[in-house]
Amino acid sequence: MKLQTIDQNGRAAFVVVPIAEWDALMARLDEREDIADATRQMAAIRAGEETLPAEIVARLTSGENPLKVWREYRGFTLRALATEIGISSARCPK
């Protein structure tokens, strides 16, 4: 395919790409980025980094109290967490 170039100051500065080609390029770029992200994530998991279920991420990003989300994810009751950190459960945020 022959691409059109646009010169600026006597040098090729821009290339005009048909939209179908642009869309195909963007799709390939998205795919490469997804592969790179997955590769990094798999390396982190193999290195022992913790992952979270999508439901926990959704709760954390929705504005729900992070302490409550983590406490429930880790299986702590409010009383057990208070005991673990040495305070009364009345002082723990609900």
Side-chain angles (χ1 to χ4, degrees):
M1 162 180 43
K2 184 171 168 64
L3 299 176
Q4 176 187 353
T5 60
I6 300 172
D7 293 347
Q8 191 174 45
N9 300 324
R11 298 179 64 198
F14 303 95
V15 176
V16 178
V17 178
I19 196 70
E21 287 296 316
W22 176 258
D23 290 342
L25 284 169
M26 291 298 100
R28 286 194 297 265
L29 178 59
D30 284 345
E31 186 176 323
R32 288 182 60 112
E33 289 173 346
D34 290 347
I35 291 168
D37 288 345
T39 300
R40 281 190 298 274
Q41 187 63 32
M42 290 305 296
I45 290 169
R46 281 193 290 277
E49 214 171 282
E50 182 176 24
T51 61
L52 296 172
E55 136 190 353
I56 299 301
V57 173
R59 288 178 65 192
L60 289 168
T61 58
S62 74
E64 192 171 340
N65 183 312
L67 180 59
K68 179 181 179 184
V69 174
W70 282 106
R71 177 179 59 76
E72 291 176 355
Y73 176 63
R74 297 285 186 219
F76 279 94
T77 63
L78 194 54
R79 180 167 293 172
L81 177 61
T83 300
E84 185 73 24
I85 62 175
I87 63 173
S88 73
S89 59
R91 292 185 53 203
C92 285
K94 307 260 187 267

